[in-house]
């Protein structure tokens, strides 16, 4: 497999790719939906909600946090996760931009 040449793309392209890659997994979509539904939660709350093992959920949370889609704050011995609104707004702007171009450029 070839090496990705991210330096050939703009910072914005790379940032969007990181965000999209982070949510491009059904478990992460389900985790994100759950966090949005409850506003904030700890890993064990998600374990009780989804049919995945705690280490698996922790790994997915790590990926979402690394991409900036969720934030975590320490509460006692746990980390409470919530959605990073700025990241979601960036994704919305990207899709709005694409949607506007689709409407202008009718094809097929």
């Amino acid at each position: 497999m070839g090496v990705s040449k991210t330096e050939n793309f703009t910072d914005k392209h790379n940032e969007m790719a990181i965000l999209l890659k982070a949510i491009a997994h059904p478990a992460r979509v389900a985790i994100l939906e759950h966090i949005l539904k409850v506003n904030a939660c700890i890993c064990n709350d998600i374990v009780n909600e989804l049919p995945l093992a705690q280490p698996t959920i922790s790994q997915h949370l790590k990926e979402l946090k690394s991409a900036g889609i969720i934030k975590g704050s320490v509460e006692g011995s746990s980390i409470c996760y919530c959605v990073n609104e700025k990241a979601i707004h960036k994704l919305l702007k990207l899709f709005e931009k694409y949607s506007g171009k689709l409407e202008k450029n009718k094809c097929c």
Side-chain angles (χ1 to χ4, degrees), residues 18-34:
I18 289 168
L19 292 173
L20 291 167
K21 181 180 177 185
I23 61 171
H25 191 287
R28 294 184 199 143
V29 171
I31 289 168
L32 191 56
E33 283 181 352
H34 179 72

Side-chain angles (χ1 to χ4, degrees), residues 8-42:
N8 292 332
F9 301 97
T10 67
D11 289 343
K12 189 168 185 164
H13 288 143
N14 286 311
E15 180 183 17
M16 286 299 119
I18 289 168
L19 292 173
L20 291 167
K21 181 180 177 185
I23 61 171
H25 191 287
R28 294 184 199 143
V29 171
I31 289 168
L32 191 56
E33 283 181 352
H34 179 72
I35 294 172
L36 284 165
K37 181 174 79 174
V38 297
N39 194 37
C41 64
I42 61 172

